[in-house]
Amino acid sequence: MGGGMHALAVLLVTLLAQDAEGRRARGGRTHSAPSYRARSEGAESFPLDFTPVEGNMDTLMRQVQNLAQSLYPCSARRLDQDMKLHFLDNSTVTCNDGSPAGYYIKESKGSRRWLVFLEGGWYCFSKENCDSRYETMRRLMSSCRWPSTRTGTGILSPQPEENPHWWNANMVFIPYCSSDVWSGATPKTDQNDYAFMGSLIIQEVVKELLTKGLDNAKVLLLAGSSAGGTGVLLNVDRVAELLKSRGHGSVQVRGLADSGWFLDNKQYRCTDCVDTMSCAPTEAIKRGIRYWGGVVPERCRLAHPGEEWNCFFGYKVYPTLKSPVFVVQWLFDEAQLTVDNVHLMGQPVQEGQWRYIQNLGIELRNTLKDVPAMFAPACLSHEVITRSYWMDIQVKGTSLPRALQCWDRSLHQSLRNHGNSSSSGSSPRSPPRGCPLHLIDSCPWPHCNPTCPAIRDQLTGREMSVIQFLTHMGFDVQRMAQQQGLEPNKLLGMLNNGS
């Protein structure tokens, strides 16, 4: 322990011991384990036991350090902040290869907020491409090589500097090992080479968390990125229903879907459906849902009888959801462009591709216009909420953590005004003043927002400026300036500023 912390510990022990003596002198009762609580909601309390001081100084100093760090969360780095791996008690719910499914958890004993994150990682939809996935990406189909701990980043970080609104929540990370967009409910059998149990894994994790404090929760935020973001849309109402059926309907269940709002649009170039990357999104999901025995939200299933594949596309499933969901989506999502067969690196982009990319942004904007709580920057990227730079991206001057805080406030206000219900609908009533929720860029091309994450040339690894990137894509500055009635230099300045 460093000298500063040692001195602080000695000072705290002295002050606390004096306080105990003072209460004795006044005839007050002293407890061997008094509890101290920081003022902020969700702060942890750490009991201190002064009886076995002799010969057990290390234990006492560790208790004092925990107390000191709970009182000074921003200045003192907490020890042991990683999430720890737990395999499910129910061994019948497994990864693709039959190995046990599980989750990583970092508990925050004083907090009544829980963040459960679903990992992404594409999917497979036939024996052939699942076999190939097993050879090349086994971590996404088996738990055999999972590490014993994980470090949380972005919205899973325990550091207030990186995660100002959720740092002190109970953090749960569920690794993706079912390859079914978190929708399957099919065990491995002699007939089935693989299990697809994504939706059951979520259910089992939630059941286990009820024994670890979730039963006393105020809020459960089900978050996910990419396939995990789509998994949030498919499972958020089922999680709310599970908690209600277990007598915990007061827990406010919400969703945060990052980069999982895909479009079932026509590909730029049509190709045969051989693998996940080249297969048209609708065809891949149609094959997948049959192969996985996929489960979709009941209200969406009833809205699309016999065509349940529709429920994997955000703009079709979202209107059927009861739980509030915040949507985070890049307007020019790299995964969407990949399945649409638009490849931006390598050869300069042709005019037809450039038009297709701009239209994609327009289509995505149209599907999001009725979503009240959302954050959609005009960037070429994929996934954001667990990235260390997630605080840096802004839309109309508002960062994503700020927008999520505004959403949280609006839901809290709505519950206060309309009674406590976890199924309060997807629409917050009205955002607090100066606290925007519906944030979408209006500029028309990739990376016209100056806060977008850096673009790297895939061949050299070098960062590219917006102008270098647009030039590489075949963007003709002279011609575009002419069309806009601008001087080329003025247009370049606007591009640099993200106007």
Side-chain angles (χ1 to χ4, degrees), residues 16 19 23 29-39 43-50 63 67 70-71 109-110:
L16 291 166
D19 181 57
R23 275 181 292 144
R29 258 181 350 145
T30 59
H31 300 274
S32 62
S35 178
Y36 297 84
R37 186 178 294 277
R39 289 185 187 184
E44 298 176 26
S45 60
F46 295 92
L48 293 177
D49 186 356
F50 291 105
Q63 290 176 343
L67 172 63
S70 77
L71 295 172
K109 293 291 187 188

Side-chain angles (χ1 to χ4, degrees), residues 357-428:
I357 292 164
Q358 287 184 291
N359 285 337
L360 177 67
I362 293 166
E363 286 178 41
L364 202 59
R365 270 191 204 91
N366 287 338
T367 66
L368 290 168
K369 67 178 186 293
D370 295 327
V371 177
M374 45 151 301
F375 188 86
C379 306
L380 173 72
S381 197
H382 186 60
E383 301 189 356
V384 65
I385 61 174
T386 56
R387 305 290 194 222
S388 57
Y389 56 74
W390 82 300
M391 289 180 64
D392 302 334
I393 318 300
Q394 295 188 359
V395 174
K396 295 181 167 67
T398 300
S399 70
L400 177 51
R402 170 69 175 153
L404 288 170
Q405 186 180 16
C406 289
W407 181 55
D408 205 37
R409 281 176 58 189
S410 72
L411 291 173
H412 180 69
Q413 189 74 35
S414 182
L415 285 170
R416 210 162 57 188
N417 294 342
H418 299 90
N420 190 4
S421 165
S422 63
S423 304
S424 55
S426 297
S427 304

Side-chain angles (χ1 to χ4, degrees), residues 122 125 137 267 271 275-280 335 338-341 343:
W122 293 90
F125 54 79
M137 292 185 275
Q267 290 175 298
T271 48
D275 57 36
T276 313
M277 302 292 185
S278 63
C279 191
T338 298
V339 295
D340 288 344
N341 285 320
H343 302 290

Side-chain angles (χ1 to χ4, degrees), residues 67-141:
L67 172 63
Q69 289 177 340
S70 77
L71 295 172
Y72 301 95
C74 294
S75 60
R77 184 175 173 83
R78 302 278 274 286
L79 296 178
D80 200 21
Q81 300 185 76
D82 285 348
M83 297 176 279
K84 294 184 173 59
L85 176 61
H86 291 259
F87 289 112
L88 291 178
D89 293 337
N90 184 347
S91 58
T92 65
V93 177
T94 70
C95 296
N96 289 130
D97 67 348
S99 58
Y103 58 98
Y104 291 84
I105 183 170
K106 186 190 86 70
E107 294 177 67
S108 185
K109 293 291 187 188
S111 176
R112 294 178 63 197
R113 300 203 301 165
W114 288 74
L115 198 163
V116 177
F117 180 84
L118 308 179
E119 186 183 23
W122 293 90
Y123 51 84
C124 57
F125 54 79
S126 68
K127 183 182 183 316
E128 293 71 34
N129 60 43
C130 286
D131 286 345
S132 171
R133 181 179 170 91
Y134 194 68
E135 290 305 311
T136 57
M137 292 185 275
R138 190 160 302 184
R139 175 185 75 76
L140 293 171
M141 298 184 76

Side-chain angles (χ1 to χ4, degrees), residues 299-311 316-317 320:
R299 280 159 52 121
C300 189
R301 188 183 69 78
L302 294 172
H304 300 279
E307 295 187 330
E308 287 84 358
W309 56 268
N310 282 290
C311 300
K316 291 180 174 175
V317 66
T320 71

Side-chain angles (χ1 to χ4, degrees), residues 216-293:
N216 190 40
K218 252 187 182 170
V219 175
L220 167 58
L221 181 63
L222 183 67
S225 293
S226 193
T230 310
V232 168
L233 298 170
L234 292 173
N235 288 279
V236 65
D237 277 355
R238 294 187 76 228
V239 167
E241 283 152 19
L242 171 65
L243 290 176
K244 197 172 179 183
S245 72
R246 301 239 160 177
H248 304 293
S250 62
V251 180
Q252 300 160 34
V253 178
R254 305 169 186 170
L256 172 58
D258 166 29
S259 304
W261 187 276
F262 292 104
L263 299 182
D264 52 346
N265 55 344
K266 194 168 182 283
Q267 290 175 298
Y268 173 67
R269 267 186 313 108
C270 294
T271 48
D272 291 335
C273 186
V274 178
D275 57 36
T276 313
M277 302 292 185
S278 63
C279 191
T282 44
E283 185 55 35
I285 294 298
K286 281 178 187 176
R287 295 186 189 191
I289 201 168
R290 287 195 299 268
Y291 191 51
W292 310 321

